[in-house]
Amino acid sequence: MNVFLTGILLAALVWSAPALARQEFGASKEEADLNVGCLYPLSGYGVDFGQDSVVGIELALEDLKTAYGNPPKIRVLVDDTKLKTSRSIRLVRDFVHKDDVKYVCGIVSSGIALEVTKVIEELGVIFIGTDNASSRLTGAALQRNYFRMTNNTAQTMDAAAQYIKDSFKTILDKRPLRVAFIGPDYDYGYQNWRDFRRAMNEQNVPYTTVAALWPNLFEVDFSPYIRSLQQAKPDLIVNEQWGDDFITFLRQVQDTDLLSHSELANFGSGGDYDVLKELGNEMPLGLILSARHHVNWPLTVENKRFVERFYKRAGHYPSYVAQGAYSGILAIAYAHMHTQPPRDIEQIRQTLSTLRFKLPEDPKGFSSYMDPKTHQIQQVISIGRTVKDHRFPPATRLLGHWKDYAPLMERK
């Protein structure tokens, strides 16, 4: 192909990308009771998370029509963050000024979410976080208009410390646990490490830190970090990378003896179905993993129905982000249905602060509920180990040997 034609085709692709990125679901502009603007990666790194989130949104809109008395007609606009902060903030402003959006939802990256929270009060909108997990968002950096619908790093590490106390008694009865940490070199990784240490100290789990490693996000060569872990000789490696980074790490570990000498855990997202699916038989057995939703836990009618409906629509089983996006749309509908016109933002904040409803990830006898002080949803966290299980192909490993942990505020 000549250079001139190549240039024309490239220009056409660049020109068409914005139009392809933005998607619209639910009610039409004319009939909508409210407009919602959601932001996810729809191209490049993290695109699978974005696509699964879109399906979760579609399922939530369907359920609103069939399972709720008089639900609002919601128009959902979805656009591509490209995992860029400046673009995400610009899209939020466009949603508000051009599309009359009253709620913003989504955003995968904690770093981007932290910056977006700085403008939401100025814009007069509510931000429903459906994936960004840094506990700073519901702690030191909490904004009045931010509410989070899935577990944050503090909750994850509170459950992790309890799991370690329960599962490493043989070592802990003799000496402190030797722990190495590896996480991405940005806010999500740093906050995981802070929350892990805080939780271990608060729950009186004796440990010593033998390594703390910070590879870049999108790292391709983990060999220096693996060598450092081998030299450190930890009892437990806590790896809080996510997505492709964690997959790449595990693939490169296969060529070493690291896992024959140290246990490995990923409490935040390592047990995500996308990781299990991608690795298949390459996924080591016996790893300690969790995620914010599981295809095979809890064994409830609600979770089975959610997973099966997702598969029917998408042709694959859901990653954990799908249920997060699903819950975000339901939370927005809840806020609308439980406030009276003119529904000012103070009313909406008060309503979301008292939110309680049943989600697919809730085990029998439990319903998710909002902590009014932190604006953080409270949920049961289940941690398991990788076992052979072919019920949800193409994954050949799932999690089993579950240990479940109620919200910390209920355990105190």
Side-chain angles (χ1 to χ4, degrees):
M1 184 180 292
N2 66 44
V3 174
F4 177 72
L5 287 176
T6 302
I8 290 175
L9 288 173
L10 286 174
L13 288 170
V14 171
W15 177 84
S16 64
L20 291 172
R22 179 165 162 139
Q23 302 176 49
E24 187 169 330
F25 305 94
S28 68
K29 182 178 180 180
E30 293 72 27
E31 68 178 354
D33 295 317
L34 71 156
N35 299 310
V36 176
C38 295
L39 293 171
Y40 294 100
L42 299 176
S43 61
Y45 191 91
V47 64
D48 291 344
F49 278 7
Q51 291 171 346
D52 278 14
S53 296
V54 166
V55 177
I57 289 169
E58 292 178 304
L59 295 180
L61 291 172
E62 288 179 3
D63 281 354
L64 285 175
K65 293 179 181 178
T66 59
Y68 289 78
N70 186 27
K73 297 183 178 76
I74 301 177
R75 175 182 176 227
V76 181
L77 307 169
V78 183
D79 215 327
D80 185 4
T81 66
K82 300 183 185 293
L83 288 180
K84 295 183 183 298
T85 301
S86 59
R87 174 179 171 83
S88 300
I89 293 173
R90 176 175 61 78
L91 289 173
V92 170
R93 292 189 184 277
D94 286 348
F95 277 151
V96 174
H97 297 312
K98 297 179 180 180
D99 300 297
D100 193 30
V101 156
K102 302 301 182 187
Y103 294 85
V104 176
C105 81
I107 301 187
V108 168
S109 165
S110 296
I112 294 174
L114 283 162
E115 295 305 311
V116 169
T117 61
K118 295 176 183 179
V119 303
I120 55 175
E121 188 155 354
E122 163 209 333
L123 295 171
V125 295
I126 296 291
F127 177 11
I128 303 292
T130 66
D131 188 43
N132 37 88
S134 171
S135 61
R136 285 181 61 203
L137 286 156
T138 51
L142 176 64
Q143 301 290 332
R144 295 190 303 166
N145 292 3
Y146 176 83
F147 293 83
R148 188 160 191 285
M149 292 305 300
T150 50
N151 299 312
N152 66 16
T153 54
Q155 293 169 303
T156 295
M157 290 310 177
D158 285 327
Q162 186 62 55
Y163 183 93
I164 291 168
K165 182 187 289 187
D166 294 341
S167 303
F168 287 82
K169 289 180 179 178
T170 301
I171 294 175
L172 293 172
D173 285 345
K174 300 175 183 176
R175 58 172 174 80
L177 193 71
R178 292 172 57 83
V179 174
F181 182 89
I182 178 169
D185 190 13
Y186 76 108
D187 188 78
Y188 176 70
Y190 311 146
Q191 198 59 48
N192 262 301
W193 182 222
R194 293 187 199 104
D195 285 330
F196 177 81
R197 289 176 293 166
R198 173 197 52 76
M200 294 284 279
N201 292 333
E202 287 181 357
Q203 298 189 42
N204 298 314
V205 185
Y207 74 100
T208 56
T209 302
V210 296
L213 306 174
W214 305 102
N216 292 327
L217 192 62
F218 319 139
E219 182 61 72
V220 295
D221 180 13
F222 287 102
S223 56
Y225 304 98
I226 293 170
R227 285 195 296 271
S228 293
L229 291 170
Q230 290 174 308
Q231 292 166 6
K233 296 181 172 56
D235 301 310
L236 175 66
I237 301 164
V238 178
N239 183 320
E240 290 304 324
Q241 294 170 295
W242 58 277
D244 288 346
D245 284 7
F246 186 53
I247 291 169
T248 301
F249 176 88
L250 286 181
R251 281 185 167 143
Q252 293 180 12
V253 160
Q254 299 297 321
D255 297 326
T256 75
D257 64 351
L258 179 63
L259 297 184
S260 63
H261 301 293
S262 302
E263 295 242 44
L264 188 142
N266 185 311
F267 296 105
S269 63
D272 181 33
Y273 180 78
D274 265 13
V275 174
L276 301 170
K277 172 185 70 176
E278 181 65 25
L279 287 170
N281 290 335
E282 294 180 86
M283 171 62 79
L285 296 171
L287 299 190
I288 303 164
L289 304 177
S290 188
R292 296 166 204 139
H293 174 257
H294 304 280
V295 295
N296 65 326
W297 182 96
L299 298 176
T300 60
V301 172
E302 294 87 353
N303 196 42
K304 181 179 179 182
R305 178 174 176 270
F306 177 80
V307 171
E308 289 177 348
R309 288 171 62 222
F310 185 99
Y311 183 87
K312 185 175 181 180
R313 180 175 292 270
H316 63 267
Y317 293 108
S319 61
Y320 67 79
V321 296
Q323 200 244 198
Y326 174 90
S327 67
I329 298 301
L330 294 189
I332 291 167
Y334 179 99
H336 188 88
M337 294 169 67
H338 288 81
T339 52
Q340 298 298 318
R343 297 186 176 88
D344 63 62
I345 203 158
E346 180 58 33
Q347 280 183 294
I348 294 170
R349 280 197 296 259
Q350 290 296 322
T351 300
L352 285 171
S353 294
T354 61
L355 177 149
R356 180 183 288 267
F357 56 22
K358 188 80 172 175
L359 290 172
E361 72 170 277
D362 292 334
K364 187 175 181 180
F366 183 90
S367 292
S368 295
Y369 62 94
M370 190 66 68
D371 178 355
K373 293 182 179 179
T374 63
H375 296 186
Q376 169 63 57
I377 201 76
Q378 302 296 302
Q379 298 174 319
V380 174
I381 296 176
S382 193
I383 301 170
R385 287 183 179 266
T386 47
V387 297
K388 292 181 179 179
D389 193 325
H390 293 76
R391 288 176 295 164
F392 295 87
T396 60
R397 275 70 167 142
L398 296 176
L399 300 190
H401 307 301
W402 298 102
K403 292 187 178 181
D404 308 332
Y405 299 97
L408 183 63
M409 58 196 302
E410 297 183 14
R411 288 187 270 134
K412 287 183 176 179

